[in-house]
Amino acid sequence: RVYLERMISGVRPDLLVERGPRRLLIECKQGPTKTWLAKAGKQAKKYRVLSSQLVLVTPRALTEQELNAVKQHYSTVISECTPSNQDCREKLLRELLAVL
């Protein structure tokens, strides 16, 4: 099952992939990092009720400090994730295959 921006257990993740007992939650963040960095951490705490596997995806390049801040809350952080970024697609595919 795949849920897109659906309210589940009082939270609304961008994408939740579920197969049997395994779940992968993907949160996508756009815009300037300073506008979503703190919110991403707060959301991750709420998302833990749905899954222990949390992935944050952003098209932005993150500084080392920003990356360390989100890695405290997310299992995987994929920055500079754009349609043309082969590395990004491969990382997302690995995460999805682990659930499927």
Side-chain angles (χ1 to χ4, degrees), residues 38-92:
K39 182 179 178 182
K42 291 175 186 176
Q43 287 176 309
K45 290 176 185 176
K46 294 177 183 178
Y47 293 158
R48 290 280 173 201
V49 299
L50 298 177
S51 176
S52 61
Q53 287 300 112
L54 304 179
V55 177
L56 179 97
V57 178
T58 181
R60 299 284 180 173
L62 300 178
T63 66
E64 190 172 331
Q65 183 179 5
E66 293 166 340
L67 186 59
N68 289 334
V70 290
K71 278 187 171 182
Q72 292 179 28
H73 304 286
Y74 290 83
S75 318
T76 303
V77 177
I78 305 173
S79 61
E80 299 181 81
C81 191
T82 61
S84 61
N85 185 336
Q86 180 70 26
D87 186 48
C88 164
R89 291 191 311 238
E90 289 174 6
K91 287 179 183 177
L92 278 173

